[in-house]
Amino acid sequence: MYYYLDATGDLQGPYSTSAFDKWFLKYFPAGTLIYDKEGRPHLIDDIVNQKLKSKTKVMFCDESSILETTFDRTDLDVTIQLNTSSFDNDSTLNLDYTQLENGVDEVDCGVGSERDTEATYVLRMCNIYMDRRALLNRRRQHPDTYIPFEHSWSDWVPQPVQIHIAIRSMVHARNNIQNYEDIVVNGYLHFLNIYPHPCKLCNIDFDDSKEMLLHFISVIHIQRSYAKNRLFSYIDMHCIKKITNEIELSYETRNFHYLAKDVFELRQQPSFFDDVDIPTAFESLKSTVAVLQTIPLLTPTSLKNSIDTCEYVEAALFFRQFEDQYNKTPTSLRSRRFGPTGKTRCNYCNVEFDATFLDSFPKHIFSEEHIHNALYFGVSRRDMEYWLSFLVPLLTGNCKEIKHKEPSKLSLQESDFPLCYKPVDVVKDDFSYSGDDLISVLNYVRDKIRISFPVLEDSEYRTTCRWCHTDICTRNGVLRHVLYDKCHLDRLTSISNDDLRRLFRSLGITITMPLFHRSKSTSSRMSPLSHTEKQFNLQRLRNICCRTMERSGLRHVAIRSFPFGLVNHCDLCDVDIDRVDGLIFHFCNEEHTDTLMNNSRIASSDINYWLKIFNVGGRSAKKC
């Protein structure tokens, strides 16, 4: 039992060692005197928390510092002189930091605090990134295993940090982390998908995640990393601070939710590239580039109307992982042809470069200018996932033979991919596009697939083009062949409406039109119709549709009003439409009419769209 003197000098107690252990550093700083029952003084440091390692008292200073005689250095164990004029100076790499390995009580002099130079934007992005990591791991193909300070960065490192700032910051972080309970630190690190694995730089194995993290933020590991002429980023520093703050907050709030056994479940989604050989991977890449009409990671997400934009920190780490993985691929594979021959435009940097072979692409993508522009304008997570998946068979040397699925027993017309066969029958009431119409229809199909379909998510698809006698084994390869292969297009003299309908249906793309989908919010120019106006116009349109069917004029209407003939779904009634005549029949259906009557967003422009299709005048025309 022990006692202590309060602010008024009165002796308080007795208290147990466990009580002082609980109050240590929170109420009584290190060096506080407490007294035993005989009245003998003891340092609180010596009585409680005996497992704490002794710390070294150190002063960091630069060559411009003037050590005044008034500055008390009698208690300092070591003074480390840092040349801060340049973090590339070799003198900073030859200093002996081993005395700091077990923690220090730091004394600053002459060097400004890192808080003065840290980027607040990067700090904010690091907080967002760390908060979302567990969620992202549940939906991403490649789980995030980023550990701060494990690997240094290339020359394009965002927000580089000087060695003396990194060491000073991590000395304090290491002191804090090593005093937390192992079960708490390991639990939180596992929540972030950080598990123990060897340090390849120092050739050291670890028993748990806490021990591994303490090594990566140790002075020796950081010093060795900088000795390789590689840098660390403020991203590393801020992420360590975030980890430390979250664990500290858990102790304050007594909320250790991440220790639950079912708090984290890694659900790795299958990828097309997991089960393909190297030739198939390259063929799929060629097809994807052809259908997209661009190379992944060369177009900002805003131009692609994408919602899967990476956070700043996430994108930077993606680039680093992509670069590391690419550098591990065999040199022989980098000379393989992968995309269009000749020049390719980068929409980030507004420049053109040759991208005929695989090795010509990273020369631009890993340049400092491109990464700076990509981080500024936004990077598609899907593009990044695609490239990392593509590298899987290249790294594993996967050359196994693919076992294709057994051929379907369906008829030729139903089993083959649309536009890959010569029609043997013509669907009743169907029509075809040819001549000049064929070009406009193909352009429409290309654009619709490019903006509406996740082309990057390829799949195995075994089929044969009956026109060109060509076997194709990937879905994107089929799209490239039927939409862009000149050999195929020269043979394609017409396209059946049924072909296009089945093509969009197989890709999960729905084509709609006014009065078959919910109109956008009406503006002053597109004021909604009143109940009476809607009733009059809808009845009029139904009469026109019935008269068109009686006169067999549907084919001419559909051709004149492209893409009228491709509509394959009604969003309002959630009904698939099989044929063109089915479109008219559904429009005349009373259930569809009732749905339209209850829709407050029907505007005059929707009615005029249909009147124009049937070549009928406005309301002043004769009533039908």
Side-chain angles (χ1 to χ4, degrees):
M1 306 300 288
Y2 296 89
Y3 303 81
Y4 74 93
L5 294 175
D6 61 13
T8 60
D10 296 328
L11 201 63
Q12 302 293 335
Y15 296 100
S16 63
T17 305
S18 60
F20 282 105
D21 191 17
K22 192 179 300 182
W23 300 336
F24 182 53
L25 293 182
K26 188 172 184 180
Y27 299 104
F28 300 111
T32 301
L33 293 178
I34 59 177
Y35 303 86
D36 57 20
K37 59 183 179 180
E38 283 81 22
R40 291 174 298 189
H42 303 272
L43 286 175
I44 191 173
D45 317 49
D46 298 332
I47 300 301
V48 301
N49 213 0
Q50 295 291 337
K51 63 181 180 181
L52 282 179
K53 299 178 181 179
S54 61
K55 299 178 180 180
T56 304
K57 295 183 179 180
V58 60
M59 178 183 64
F60 289 91
C61 66
D62 62 13
E63 57 187 4
S64 62
S65 299
I66 300 177
L67 300 181
E68 301 289 348
T69 55
T70 56
F71 186 84
D72 185 10
R73 292 192 291 161
T74 55
D75 292 333
L76 292 177
D77 296 309
V78 61
T79 300
I80 295 183
Q81 184 99 3
L82 293 179
N83 181 0
T84 59
S85 60
S86 173
F87 58 84
D88 293 327
N89 193 300
D90 292 338
S91 64
T92 62
L93 301 178
N94 297 325
L95 298 174
D96 180 17
Y97 293 100
T98 56
Q99 300 172 78
L100 311 184
E101 276 301 294
N102 293 328
V104 302
D105 292 327
E106 182 181 335
V107 180
D108 289 323
C109 180
V111 178
S113 172
E114 58 267 20
R115 297 187 183 90
D116 298 332
T117 57
E118 66 183 12
T120 56
Y121 174 78
V122 176
L123 173 60
R124 185 169 66 254
M125 291 297 100
C126 286
N127 290 337
I128 295 175
Y129 165 73
M130 296 294 289
D131 289 339
R132 295 181 59 188
R133 282 178 67 179
L135 174 63
L136 291 175
N137 282 331
R138 287 181 170 88
R139 67 181 183 181
R140 280 176 34 182
Q141 163 64 23
H142 297 276
D144 184 3
T145 56
Y146 166 65
I147 306 176
F149 288 99
E150 179 180 9
H151 302 296
S152 49
W153 299 65
S154 298
D155 295 336
W156 56 264
V157 51
Q159 300 293 332
V161 59
Q162 300 179 16
I163 182 174
H164 68 280
I165 295 180
I167 290 178
R168 292 168 58 194
S169 179
M170 290 306 101
V171 161
H172 287 300
R174 195 173 188 275
N175 288 340
N176 293 332
I177 293 176
Q178 70 181 357
N179 291 329
Y180 296 135
E181 296 175 87
D182 293 352
I183 188 175
V184 174
V185 178
N186 287 324
Y188 184 70
L189 294 179
H190 295 168
F191 177 72
L192 297 180
N193 197 32
I194 297 178
Y195 292 91
H197 56 271
C199 173
K200 297 181 179 179
L201 177 62
C202 305
N203 194 24
I204 300 176
D205 294 328
F206 307 101
D207 296 329
D208 56 42
S209 299
K210 177 183 177 182
E211 179 186 1
M212 179 183 66
L213 183 65
L214 290 176
H215 169 76
F216 288 142
I217 63 176
S218 67
V219 172
I220 289 181
H221 177 81
I222 295 177
Q223 186 180 13
R224 286 174 178 170
S225 299
Y226 275 95
K228 299 290 186 180
N229 294 323
R230 307 265 285 188
L231 304 175
F232 284 110
S233 168
Y234 270 101
I235 293 176
D236 297 289
M237 287 180 50
H238 292 324
C239 287
I240 286 293
K241 291 180 179 179
K242 177 70 173 181
I243 292 175
T244 306
N245 293 339
E246 288 297 315
I247 297 177
E248 183 178 355
L249 181 63
S250 297
Y251 276 101
E252 293 178 358
T253 60
R254 309 304 298 175
N255 181 9
F256 302 99
H257 63 91
Y258 44 80
L259 296 181
K261 293 182 179 180
D262 59 345
V263 71
F264 177 79
E265 180 182 355
L266 184 61
R267 300 175 182 175
Q268 183 173 354
Q269 300 177 357
S271 169
F272 166 75
F273 293 101
D274 293 342
D275 299 319
V276 302
D277 56 7
I278 293 176
T280 305
F282 273 95
E283 283 301 316
S284 176
L285 179 58
K286 294 178 185 178
S287 302
T288 299
V289 171
V291 178
L292 285 177
Q293 291 294 284
T294 185
I295 299 176
L297 294 185
L298 293 188
T299 302
T301 55
S302 58
L303 299 183
K304 297 160 66 174
N305 193 27
S306 177
I307 60 174
D308 66 335
T309 305
C310 295
E311 300 288 352
Y312 177 90
V313 175
E314 183 185 10
L317 296 175
F318 256 136
F319 271 114
R320 189 177 77 160
Q321 184 180 3
F322 179 27
E323 183 181 29
D324 291 341
Q325 295 292 85
Y326 175 79
N327 291 334
K328 296 177 183 177
T329 58
T331 306
S332 58
L333 295 179
R334 302 180 192 177
S335 59
R336 296 280 291 270
R337 184 183 297 271
F338 90 105
T341 303
K343 298 292 184 180
T344 298
R345 171 165 291 278
C346 174
N347 294 316
Y348 283 107
C349 307
N350 197 26
V351 297
E352 290 186 343
F353 65 96
D354 180 77
T356 305
F357 303 98
L358 183 60
D359 59 356
S360 58
F361 171 72
K363 290 180 182 178
H364 176 78
I365 199 69
F366 297 136
S367 65
E368 185 174 352
E369 177 185 6
H370 176 82
I371 292 181
H372 173 78
N373 293 334
L375 294 178
Y376 180 81
F377 290 106
V379 178
S380 168
R381 182 180 295 112
R382 191 175 60 176
D383 286 7
M384 279 293 191
E385 294 281 358
Y386 178 83
W387 275 110
L388 294 175
S389 297
F390 167 74
L391 294 178
V392 170
L394 276 62
L395 291 171
T396 59
N398 188 1
C399 296
K400 65 181 181 181
E401 182 180 355
I402 303 177
K403 295 182 179 180
H404 298 289
K405 300 178 180 179
E406 292 295 328
S408 174
K409 295 181 180 180
L410 299 176
S411 66
L412 176 65
Q413 180 172 325
E414 293 174 334
S415 62
D416 280 353
F417 202 91
L419 308 184
C420 277
Y421 67 93
K422 298 179 181 179
V424 293
D425 292 313
V426 177
V427 178
K428 184 181 179 180
D429 295 329
D430 192 23
F431 53 89
S432 301
Y433 307 98
S434 58
D436 294 338
D437 291 335
L438 183 62
I439 299 176
S440 61
V441 169
L442 281 175
N443 289 334
Y444 174 86
V445 174
R446 292 164 182 159
D447 293 339
K448 201 68 178 178
I449 291 176
R450 191 159 47 238
I451 65 175
S452 305
F453 181 61
V455 180
L456 296 179
E457 299 176 7
D458 204 351
S459 62
E460 183 181 344
Y461 198 108
R462 181 69 174 178
T463 190
T464 300
C465 179
R466 306 294 180 177
W467 295 61
C468 308
H469 305 287
T470 302
D471 293 331
I472 312 173
C473 57
T474 68
R475 183 192 57 198
N476 291 357
V478 178
L479 292 176
R480 178 183 63 164
H481 179 74
V482 299
L483 296 178
Y484 295 97
D485 195 322
K486 187 176 184 303
C487 176
H488 181 81
L489 295 177
D490 289 342
R491 295 184 172 94
L492 195 66
T493 58
S494 65
I495 299 179
S496 166
N497 178 76
D498 182 62
D499 283 342
L500 297 179
R501 184 183 297 276
R502 292 193 305 110
L503 173 64
F504 286 128
R505 184 71 57 78
S506 66
L507 300 178
I509 298 177
T510 59
I511 309 297
T512 60
M513 62 191 308
L515 302 186
F516 278 75
H517 64 80
R518 298 189 181 277
S519 302
K520 298 180 179 179
S521 298
T522 55
S523 61
S524 57
R525 294 185 305 168
M526 299 171 55
S527 57
L529 298 175
S530 64
H531 181 81
T532 303
E533 289 176 322
K534 280 194 297 184
Q535 189 175 25
F536 167 78
N537 284 285
L538 290 177
Q539 183 60 47
R540 184 186 183 198
L541 288 176
R542 291 180 66 182
N543 294 339
I544 295 174
C545 290
C546 294
R547 189 169 60 188
T548 301
M549 292 293 294
E550 292 175 356
R551 296 177 180 177
S552 301
L554 183 60
R555 179 178 183 276
H556 300 287
V557 170
I559 293 177
R560 185 174 63 245
S561 59
F562 179 84
F564 177 94
L566 303 183
V567 175
N568 57 10
H569 190 76
C570 175
D571 291 342
L572 294 176
C573 303
D574 193 21
V575 173
D576 290 333
I577 301 172
D578 293 329
R579 303 191 323 195
V580 180
D581 55 354
L583 179 73
I584 301 299
F585 287 135
H586 180 75
F587 185 84
C588 296
N589 187 287
E590 292 185 4
E591 180 182 354
H592 181 74
T593 303
D594 293 340
T595 303
L596 291 175
M597 289 297 299
N598 296 326
N599 188 348
S600 60
R601 290 186 176 181
I602 293 180
S604 58
S605 59
D606 298 330
I607 303 296
N608 293 333
Y609 177 89
W610 277 76
L611 293 176
K612 184 178 180 180
I613 286 179
F614 291 105
N615 198 22
V616 178
R619 181 166 182 168
S620 59
K622 181 180 178 180
K623 297 183 181 180
C624 299

